[in-house]
Amino acid sequence: QRRVHGMARTDISCVHVYEDTDDSVVSTIANAICRSSFIALDTEFTGFGSDRRKIGASHLDERYAAISDLVKEYSLVQLGLSIFCPVEQSECLIPTYEVSTFNFNILSLADFRVSASNMKFLADNCFDFQALFSRGIRFVAAGTVKSTSDPAAAPTTRSAASAPSNGSSTVKQLCLQTIFRQISSCNVPIVLHNGLIDAMFIYHSFCGPLPKHVNNFAAVFSDLFPTVFDTKFINDAYGYCKTSFLEYLFGKIQRTCKHKELFNLQFSSWPPWPLKTEPRSGQVCVQYAQYGHCRRGVSCPDSHDIEFILDEEERLEERRASKRQRQKGAMEEGSVQDGTINECPSAPSPAPEGSFTSADSVSNRIVPSTKMHSAGFDAFATGFVFAFFHHKFKFPLLAEDDVIGQQSQQAVHNRLFLVGKDMPFLLCRSAYCTIPSAQFLQLPDSTPTDSEASTITDQSSPVNRSQPQS
């Protein structure tokens, strides 16, 4: 088993939260948020739209408008929440985090669109649609709900009108909203990976209507969440890896952490996250290794296993280092004549046992050894990558503490990665923005009677966000 900084990956635990999950999970999340240094978030949703070029438009206003339409038409189906809490250890010099990861399976009561390619992607990564539709937490996006003080405020769809007025589903829907209210009031830094679409989905689903203009969104989001990080942008800002999709960074940093000893992780005592492992063989899929996705999906005959890809990179680097060493030795021995190194031709290396070409049967295809693309696991991977960057590059957790860094080229606070752009999306209040953020994150007038649901709003006192005590 690969190990995450001295811990087997099968030890990574996650709580799957459904409508029928015991409500005591609410107080667990509340306590963890109050103690946390930072919280990593990830989402899974039902599609990218019919024309993905629109959400990558070169003009930022056009890109924001396209993503806004996407967020309103499609829906979240999973929200991943990974909470990293510092652990005080008087005898340990290495910072230690206690990690609690939650995977909320949520089902919109309003009608929404789906993309066939996205559904296939989720199915290929073991998404449980049966559990989603039978046990998912029912919710109505906050961006579609009118103010309850408005007498004309009525559900906009028939399915929304059938929303239950009490019961555990209402408790958990309100808890999802109060989770973000508490994160905001406690000023907890949130971490995303390539997070613009995630941020807009989260805002629309749990906070309020998306502003019409991109500058207004940047202002209200930064007011609600004063410190936001994007691990994809941090990687590019510090030039850590040329390849920066999440699964690659997660696998690459695992190997680095074995030697650097930057931080330790402890996991809450939840049932272990199920991970699938299969023998590694075959050939690396070049497209997946570079970009983190492949057009052929699971029908691709080549390997999408990130551990196998990293193993192949290491073997290639070892061969290159060995070749450079031979060349250096040959030059020292005077075997270089007229600028040419005379080497004996080497026999081609035999194909590894179990390898095959694309002409082989599709039934022999290689599938990933881990299923990264669930919101809970991706949220943990994002937090793990961020913890590594934070301790390696020594930038502060809170934006107001980074007076020097905000003026440098390596400023990483409140900057979201923009695909196809050299500059990030800056989350800050504009002088031309007049929308107050106080009108957002307002919960419905009806509150759940369950005592656990009220716990989360009572524990909102901010705490010191410094790194774990040594």
Side-chain angles (χ1 to χ4, degrees):
Q1 290 284 346
R2 283 283 172 194
R3 303 188 71 80
V4 182
H5 193 61
M7 182 169 291
R9 294 179 67 172
T10 49
D11 292 332
I12 300 171
S13 58
C14 178
V15 182
H16 288 267
V17 184
Y18 293 96
E19 183 177 310
D20 55 0
T21 302
D22 189 88
D23 291 329
S24 62
V25 71
V26 176
S27 59
T28 301
I29 296 173
N31 293 330
I33 289 176
C34 289
R35 298 184 294 110
S36 63
S37 290
F38 60 89
I39 296 175
L41 301 170
D42 189 75
T43 64
E44 298 292 345
F45 41 90
T46 59
F48 282 98
S50 58
D51 189 356
R52 294 188 63 167
R53 292 174 298 180
K54 293 182 179 179
I55 62 176
S58 58
H59 198 283
L60 186 57
D61 288 334
E62 296 177 0
R63 182 179 300 198
Y64 176 79
I67 299 176
S68 296
D69 293 338
L70 167 74
V71 166
K72 296 171 185 176
E73 294 176 0
Y74 293 81
S75 175
L76 291 183
V77 290
Q78 275 188 348
L79 170 68
L81 190 75
S82 194
I83 307 173
F84 286 68
C85 300
V87 177
E88 295 186 5
Q89 295 181 336
S90 58
E91 298 180 357
C92 182
L93 298 178
I94 300 175
T96 302
Y97 294 99
E98 179 185 1
V99 184
S100 301
T101 302
F102 303 88
N103 194 62
F104 291 88
N105 297 270
I106 57 180
L107 178 64
S108 174
L109 286 170
D111 295 336
F112 57 87
R113 297 180 62 183
V114 300
S115 167
S117 60
N118 270 64
M119 294 299 99
K120 185 177 185 302
F121 172 81
L122 292 174
D124 291 343
N125 288 276
C126 301
F127 187 90
D128 192 343
F129 289 98
Q130 173 66 27
L132 173 68
F133 286 99
S134 62
R135 303 170 55 206
I137 300 172
R138 293 170 286 173
F139 81 104
V140 177
T144 63
V145 178
K146 296 182 180 180
S147 173
T148 54
S149 61
D150 184 358
T156 57
T157 65
R158 179 177 301 179
S159 56
S162 65
S165 59
N166 50 42
S168 62
S169 61
T170 302
V171 169
K172 290 190 177 60
Q173 177 177 346
L174 292 176
C175 288
L176 285 170
Q177 294 174 312
T178 51
I179 282 172
F180 289 99
R181 167 177 278 185
Q182 188 184 16
I183 293 173
S184 175
S185 62
C186 290
N187 193 20
V188 182
I190 64 174
V191 185
L192 306 166
H193 183 85
N194 195 10
L196 178 58
I197 297 180
D198 289 325
M200 293 178 67
F201 259 113
I202 288 171
Y203 191 91
H204 172 76
S205 299
F206 307 115
C207 303
L210 285 170
K212 292 183 179 180
H213 301 290
V214 62
N215 288 339
N216 291 343
F217 171 74
V220 295
F221 196 87
S222 63
D223 275 357
L224 292 173
F225 309 107
T227 306
V228 181
F229 294 97
D230 189 320
T231 50
K232 190 174 180 72
F233 175 74
I234 296 174
N235 175 80
D236 289 359
Y238 285 96
Y240 182 72
C241 278
K242 292 183 179 180
T243 304
S244 60
F245 65 90
L246 179 60
E247 188 177 3
Y248 182 91
L249 287 176
F250 180 61
K252 186 79 171 178
I253 292 173
Q254 284 181 63
R255 304 179 181 213
T256 307
C257 278
K258 291 181 180 180
H259 308 288
K260 300 300 183 181
E261 296 292 329
L262 292 177
F263 62 95
N264 283 323
L265 296 180
Q266 297 177 359
F267 294 92
S268 302
S269 56
W270 300 102
W273 181 275
L275 294 177
K276 179 180 179 182
T277 58
E278 295 190 7
R280 300 171 190 158
S281 60
Q283 300 175 350
V284 169
C285 174
V286 177
Q287 184 181 20
Y288 190 88
Q290 291 180 347
Y291 305 108
H293 60 83
C294 173
R295 295 179 180 177
R296 292 176 289 181
V298 295
S299 63
C300 178
D302 298 330
S303 177
H304 293 177
D305 182 353
I306 196 64
E307 300 294 349
F308 181 66
I309 292 171
L310 291 169
D311 287 340
E312 288 297 300
E313 285 189 358
E314 290 183 355
R315 281 194 284 267
L316 179 60
E317 182 59 33
E318 289 175 359
R319 288 197 294 268
R320 289 173 176 171
S322 177
K323 182 176 180 180
R324 288 193 297 267
Q325 189 65 28
R326 291 197 305 269
Q327 291 176 345
K328 182 179 179 180
M331 294 176 64
E332 291 176 352
E333 294 175 3
S335 59
V336 179
Q337 299 178 1
D338 299 328
T340 303
I341 300 177
N342 298 324
E343 294 185 354
C344 297
S346 57
S349 57
E353 183 179 356
S355 64
F356 54 90
T357 64
S358 57
D360 288 294
S361 172
V362 176
S363 62
N364 293 327
R365 62 179 178 268
I366 304 298
V367 297
S369 63
T370 62
K371 297 299 182 182
M372 284 287 294
H373 301 288
S374 63
F377 192 90
D378 283 0
F380 165 74
T382 300
F384 179 87
V385 171
F386 175 78
F388 174 80
F389 286 154
H390 169 53
H391 291 287
K392 179 177 178 62
F393 301 122
K394 307 297 183 182
F395 52 81
L397 278 179
L398 297 180
E400 57 264 29
D401 296 336
D402 191 21
V403 178
I404 298 177
Q406 293 295 331
Q407 308 299 325
S408 70
Q409 294 182 350
Q410 291 184 332
V412 295
H413 298 80
N414 300 327
R415 287 159 169 81
L416 299 181
F417 181 84
L418 289 176
V419 177
K421 294 286 188 179
D422 294 331
M423 300 297 293
F425 177 56
L426 185 61
L427 294 170
C428 65
R429 174 176 283 277
S430 169
Y432 302 99
C433 176
T434 58
I435 298 180
S437 62
Q439 63 180 301
F440 296 100
L441 277 177
Q442 293 180 355
L443 300 180
D445 290 339
S446 61
T447 56
T449 58
D450 190 284
S451 59
E452 299 290 353
S454 62
T455 305
I456 194 169
T457 57
D458 296 335
Q459 302 173 340
S460 57
S461 58
V463 297
N464 185 10
R465 304 293 167 199
S466 60
Q467 70 179 28
Q469 299 287 331
S470 59

